[in-house]
Amino acid sequence: MSSRENILKAALENQPAFVALPQINLESVINYENLAAQFDLILTRIGGTVEHFEDEASLLARMASHSPEEFVINTITADAEGLANINKMNSVQLEAVDVAYVRGALGVAENGAVWMDENAMVNRLLPFICQHLVVVLKVNEIVPTMHHAYQKIEVNKTGFGSFIAGPSKTADIEQSLVIGAHGPRSLTLLLQF
Amino acid sequence: MKSHAEAAAEFIKDGERTDWHDETLWFVRAKRDLAAHGLPEWEQLRDWASEIKNHTLSNISQYLTAFEKNANANGITVHWAADAEEHNRIIHKLIKDNGIEKIVKSKSMLTEECHLNEYLNHHGIATIDTDLGERIVQLRQEPPSHIVLPAIHLKKQDVSDTFHEFLHTEKGNNDPQYLTEAARIHLRDHFVASELAITGVNFAIAETGGFVVCTNEGNADMGAHTAKIHVACMGFEKLIPKAEHLGVFLRLLTRSATGQPITTYSSHFHRPRPGQQMHIVIVDNGRTRQLGRPDFRNSLKCIRCAACFNTCPVYRRSGGHSYHTAVAGPIGSILNPNLDMKANADLPFASTLCGSCSNVCPVKIDIHEQLWKWRQVIVAEGYVGAGKKLSMQGMGFLFSHPNLYRFAGKMGRFFMRIAPFMVNNRLNPWYKQREMPAPPKESFGEWYIKNRKK
Ligand code: SF4
C-alpha cells in the first residue's frame, strides 16, 4: 500500500468518535465604537503610520511628490500596459523598488491588518520586497475583527492573498524589536475618508 | 546523549544567563497576558479553538481526502510521507529532478523534526534558513532552542560574534539594528537567487485546498514568491475545516505567542503563480499513532504558539537545548515520547506539573495531565533510570504497607532531627539546590488523631 493509503487508513481507524463543530456566535465578540480610531491606534502601535486624506487629488499629489531617483511603483493608477510590466518583473528587478503603492481591500480594527490579494498586488512579490509600502484603504472598509473579515473576503478567489499588519519586523536578537527585517522598512496606511 | 537533567545542569552553571533567560521568557509571557486580557471573549475563543480542533481530529480522514482533492484542483501537487525519512526523500527528489541548486527555507518545526537540513547536507545539498533567529543558529550549527524564538538562548554578543565570523560585520558591534541590517543584506542575496523555497504550514484549509503561513519578517513570502518551486511541509494535524475558522486561530496564535495582535504577514496560498510549481508534503511520522491514544491525542491540537514554553518554570530555567528534541518545552515533552519513548523517557519528568502550561494553552490541551500520564506509561514500560525505578518501587511498597509507612516516617523525622547529614548529602537528589525542610515532631496522621476529638 502507498503511504497515502496507509495514512488515511490509520487516520480513519484511530480517529475518535465524531464531535460536532461549535457555533461561532459573532454577538459575543468585541466591537469598537470608532473602527477607524481603533485601527489607527493598533497599526501605529505595531510600527505602521496612518495618514488621512479626503480627495483623489491629494493622493495623486502625494504619489507625484517622490524624487525622480526613487524607484516608485504605483499599482493604483497604472494603466494596463504598466500593470503587465510590473507583473513580468523578476526578483532582481523588484529588489530595487523604493516605494510601492498598493490598494488594500479591507482593514481589521482589532489588529491593524489589511487584506490584499494578488489582483491588487499585481506581482505577488511586490509588497514584500519593496523598501517602503504604502497602502491605500477606504475608511468604510474597516471591520471590527478577523471573524468579520473572513465573512467578507473569499480567500481562494485569487491564488494568493495576505493580511499585512505593519512593516516587516523581527525581535530575534535578544528580543529587541527591529523594524525592517527582510521586507518593507515602513508601512504607511493612507486612509481615505 | 545527555538526559534533560544533565543538560539542564550544564545550562544553569551560568547563573546570570539562567536568570536572564528566565526573565526574558517571563516578559514574553506577560505580554501574552496583556494581549489576552484585551479581549473580553478570550475564554470563549479558546473554547471554540479547542472544539474546532476536536471536531477536525474526529473527522480527520475525511478532511484529509477533501483537502487533497481541493488542493489538486487548485494546481497544487500533494505528497504523502509516512515518516521523516520519506518526507526528506520526497523533497530530495524534487530538488534532483528539477536540477535545483539554490534553496531557501522558512521556519518549519516539521523540517526540524525530520532533520531535513542534515539529510540534504548529507547528499551535498545546502539549504539557507531565512528566519533571522534560525539563520543565526544555523551559522552556529546549533538547533533552534524555542519553536517561536529560535535564538532566545543567545545574547547580542553571541550574535555579533557569529556575524563577525560569517558575515564579516564589525567586531564587537552588538547593536541589534546593525546586526539585523547585515542579515537583511546577506539574505536578500539568497532570496533573489532562490530556485526552490521550503516553507512550513500554520493552517491548511480542507474546504478550499489552500494553506496559511505566518511570519513577522516576511521571509516565507520572499522565498515562495521568488522561487519557481514552492514546497510546503505540514503535519496532518494542521488541517482546519473552513477558512472562516482561521478567524478563531489567527486571533489566538500571536496573542498567545508573543502578545502581538497578529503576525505581520498571514499569507494565504491557494494556487501557484503562472509558471510556478507548488507542492505540499503531508506528514504522518507517528501522528496517526498518537491519534489512536485517547490519553495523548489532544496533543495533536497544538498550534505551536509556544505559550506553554514561555510560562513553564522548568523550560525557562533549563533552556530549550536540554530537551534534546526539535520541539522542546511542555508540549514537546508530550509529543516526543510518541516518536521515541526510550530516547525521550526523561522529558515528561522535566516538569513541576504546576499546570501553568494548560492554563495558557489557546486550544486547551490538558498538557500537565498528559505529562503525568506519560510518566505512568514510561514507568510501566520500564523506561526510567535504575535509580528512579528503585525508589519508585520502594515508595510503592511503602505506600501499600501502612504500618511500615508510619514507622518509616517516624524514623525519617527522627534521623532528620538528630542526624541531618543523613539526608542533607550528595546521595539525595532532592538535596541538590535545596535545603531539606526542618522535620516536624509528629506526622500529620498523628496530629490528626490527637486533634480530631477536640
Ligand atoms: S501546547 Fe498549547 S500552549 Fe503549547 S505550543 Fe501548543 S498550542 Fe501553544
Side-chain angles (χ1 to χ4, degrees), chain B residues 238-346:
Chain B
K238 297 283 162 155
L239 267 183
I240 59 168
K242 295 179 180 182
E244 65 187 59
H245 298 129
L246 288 168
V248 174
F249 292 108
L250 290 183
R251 298 185 82 197
L252 286 166
L253 180 63
T254 43
R255 285 187 174 96
S256 299
T258 56
Q260 289 172 259
I262 188 169
T263 46
T264 304
Y265 304 104
S266 309
S267 291
H268 299 50
F269 294 86
H270 276 89
R271 285 185 287 282
R273 62 173 197 277
Q276 189 193 30
Q277 292 179 39
M278 201 176 270
H279 298 262
I280 292 182
V281 187
I282 301 178
V283 179
D284 181 346
N285 205 32
R287 286 164 174 76
T288 48
R289 184 172 56 235
Q290 193 86 322
L291 187 65
R293 291 183 164 130
D295 282 346
F296 303 113
R297 68 163 60 106
N298 248 345
S299 60
L300 295 172
K301 289 154 67 178
C302 176
I303 58 172
R304 303 287 192 270
C305 70
C308 58
F309 289 51
N310 304 339
T311 201
C312 177
V314 176
Y315 175 88
R316 282 188 276 123
R317 289 173 184 82
S318 59
H321 289 153
S322 64
Y323 292 78
H324 54 76
T325 48
V327 180
I331 186 65
S333 301
I334 297 171
L335 296 172
N336 290 304
N338 175 55
L339 291 175
D340 186 339
M341 206 187 298
K342 187 158 177 251
N344 301 313
D346 54 329

Side-chain angles (χ1 to χ4, degrees), chain A residues 3 19 110 150 159 161 165 172 183, chain B residues 55 86 133 184 255 264 268 270:
Chain A
S3 290
V19 179
E110 68 159 322
Y150 280 108
D172 274 345
Chain B
H55 163 81
E86 190 172 12
R184 174 185 174 100
R255 285 187 174 96
T264 304
H268 299 50
H270 276 89

Side-chain angles (χ1 to χ4, degrees), chain A residues 115 128 150 160-164, chain B residues 105-108 198-205 210-222 224-225 230-234 238 246 250 253 262-270 278 280:
Chain A
W115 173 258
F128 303 95
Y150 280 108
F160 178 75
S162 190
F163 281 103
I164 298 183
Chain B
K105 186 152 94 31
S106 152
K107 191 158 70 192
S108 140
I198 300 167
T199 69
V201 168
N202 288 89
F203 305 97
I205 312 151
F211 58 95
V212 176
V213 182
C214 304
T215 70
N216 277 320
E217 298 177 8
N219 55 316
D221 288 285
M222 293 277 273
H225 305 319
H230 175 187
V231 188
C233 307
M234 63 178 262
K238 297 283 162 155
L246 288 168
L250 290 183
L253 180 63
I262 188 169
T263 46
T264 304
Y265 304 104
S266 309
S267 291
H268 299 50
F269 294 86
H270 276 89
M278 201 176 270
I280 292 182

Side-chain angles (χ1 to χ4, degrees), chain A:
Chain A
M1 265 201 302
S2 69
S3 290
R4 174 186 184 277
E5 281 155 14
N6 277 326
I7 294 169
L8 287 173
K9 186 167 163 280
L12 182 64
E13 280 166 5
N14 291 345
Q15 71 194 27
F18 186 80
V19 179
L21 264 177
Q23 276 295 328
I24 300 198
N25 175 8
L26 287 204
E27 259 146 51
S28 55
V29 312
I30 199 163
N31 210 322
Y32 303 96
E33 236 165 72
N34 184 334
L35 290 176
Q38 174 70 17
F39 179 81
D40 197 327
L41 177 81
I42 301 292
L43 184 53
T44 310
R45 197 180 285 167
I46 59 179
T49 310
V50 183
E51 288 174 26
H52 295 175
F53 76 102
E54 276 169 18
D55 53 308
E56 289 290 318
S58 58
L59 173 63
L60 294 176
R62 195 187 191 283
M63 289 196 289
S65 71
H66 294 278
S67 78
E69 296 90 69
E70 274 180 284
F71 184 174
V72 179
I73 285 192
N74 157 19
T75 69
I76 291 170
T77 54
D79 56 14
E81 194 192 339
L83 293 178
N85 281 337
I86 300 167
N87 199 8
K88 270 190 281 179
M89 289 169 91
N90 63 28
S91 319
V92 179
Q93 292 165 315
L94 287 171
E95 220 263 310
V97 174
D98 281 320
V99 185
Y101 282 83
V102 182
R103 197 177 280 288
L106 173 147
V108 187
E110 68 159 322
N111 57 26
V114 181
W115 173 258
M116 236 177 256
D117 72 17
E118 66 179 333
N119 286 344
M121 298 172 184
V122 183
N123 186 316
R124 284 186 192 184
L125 190 55
L126 179 63
F128 303 95
I129 203 168
C130 63
Q131 299 289 329
H132 300 277
L133 181 62
V134 184
V135 180
V136 178
L137 185 75
K138 294 205 175 92
V139 71
N140 59 9
E141 284 160 346
I142 300 176
V143 298
T145 72
M146 293 297 282
H147 306 292
H148 302 89
Y150 280 108
Q151 285 184 329
K152 285 202 153 182
I153 59 178
E154 233 180 291
V155 288
N156 56 342
K157 193 172 92 194
T158 63
F160 178 75
S162 190
F163 281 103
I164 298 183
S168 161
K169 61 173 89 62
T170 183
D172 274 345
I173 301 175
E174 253 193 51
Q175 282 293 292
S176 319
L177 182 69
V178 178
I179 303 278
H182 308 292
R185 300 171 188 276
S186 74
L187 179 132
T188 308
L189 201 291
L190 301 183
L191 201 52
Q192 184 175 11
F193 277 80

Side-chain angles (χ1 to χ4, degrees), chain B residues 117-419:
Chain B
N117 282 7
E118 290 92 319
Y119 180 95
L120 293 178
N121 263 337
H122 183 75
H123 289 90
I125 299 165
T127 46
I128 305 287
D129 282 332
T130 59
D131 171 88
L132 177 57
E134 290 242 309
R135 185 63 183 145
I136 294 167
V137 294
Q138 186 182 38
L139 290 172
R140 298 169 63 91
Q141 303 195 336
E142 287 174 14
S145 71
H146 184 287
I147 56 176
V148 172
L149 315 162
I152 193 69
H153 59 293
L154 297 173
K155 307 201 92 171
K156 290 182 221 179
Q157 183 98 43
D158 306 321
V159 179
S160 172
D161 292 345
T162 308
F163 280 11
H164 174 66
E165 184 181 345
F166 295 98
L167 309 183
H168 313 297
T169 52
E170 202 185 323
K171 191 164 179 56
N173 190 335
N174 297 349
D175 177 20
Q177 185 88 42
Y178 167 77
L179 296 170
T180 304
E181 183 66 26
R184 174 185 174 100
I185 294 165
H186 159 68
L187 286 168
R188 276 199 164 217
D189 287 345
H190 288 283
F191 283 126
V192 295
S194 71
E195 300 169 314
L196 183 141
I198 300 167
T199 69
V201 168
N202 288 89
F203 305 97
I205 312 151
E207 188 187 36
T208 63
F211 58 95
V212 176
V213 182
C214 304
T215 70
N216 277 320
E217 298 177 8
N219 55 316
D221 288 285
M222 293 277 273
H225 305 319
T226 297
K228 62 181 187 214
I229 303 175
H230 175 187
V231 188
C233 307
M234 63 178 262
F236 68 65
E237 77 282 10
K238 297 283 162 155
L239 267 183
I240 59 168
K242 295 179 180 182
E244 65 187 59
H245 298 129
L246 288 168
V248 174
F249 292 108
L250 290 183
R251 298 185 82 197
L252 286 166
L253 180 63
T254 43
R255 285 187 174 96
S256 299
T258 56
Q260 289 172 259
I262 188 169
T263 46
T264 304
Y265 304 104
S266 309
S267 291
H268 299 50
F269 294 86
H270 276 89
R271 285 185 287 282
R273 62 173 197 277
Q276 189 193 30
Q277 292 179 39
M278 201 176 270
H279 298 262
I280 292 182
V281 187
I282 301 178
V283 179
D284 181 346
N285 205 32
R287 286 164 174 76
T288 48
R289 184 172 56 235
Q290 193 86 322
L291 187 65
R293 291 183 164 130
D295 282 346
F296 303 113
R297 68 163 60 106
N298 248 345
S299 60
L300 295 172
K301 289 154 67 178
C302 176
I303 58 172
R304 303 287 192 270
C305 70
C308 58
F309 289 51
N310 304 339
T311 201
C312 177
V314 176
Y315 175 88
R316 282 188 276 123
R317 289 173 184 82
S318 59
H321 289 153
S322 64
Y323 292 78
H324 54 76
T325 48
V327 180
I331 186 65
S333 301
I334 297 171
L335 296 172
N336 290 304
N338 175 55
L339 291 175
D340 186 339
M341 206 187 298
K342 187 158 177 251
N344 301 313
D346 54 329
L347 297 183
F349 295 89
S351 165
T352 62
L353 301 188
C354 66
S356 184
C357 46
S358 307
N359 285 335
V360 295
C361 177
V363 288
K364 292 197 147 182
I365 300 173
D366 49 341
I367 308 171
H368 72 293
E369 285 166 28
Q370 292 194 35
L371 288 168
W372 177 69
K373 284 174 185 161
W374 262 129
R375 292 183 185 186
Q376 297 168 56
V377 174
I378 283 163
V379 171
E381 302 273 333
Y383 286 132
V384 290
K388 197 168 260 157
K389 195 145 112 199
L390 207 67
S391 59
M392 295 262 249
Q393 276 167 353
M395 243 148 60
F397 182 74
L398 209 58
F399 290 154
S400 52
H401 297 80
N403 284 328
L404 191 64
Y405 170 75
R406 278 191 287 273
F407 175 71
K410 227 180 207 119
M411 293 317 284
R413 286 188 296 280
F414 177 72
F415 279 119
M416 277 172 83
R417 262 200 318 275
I418 66 151

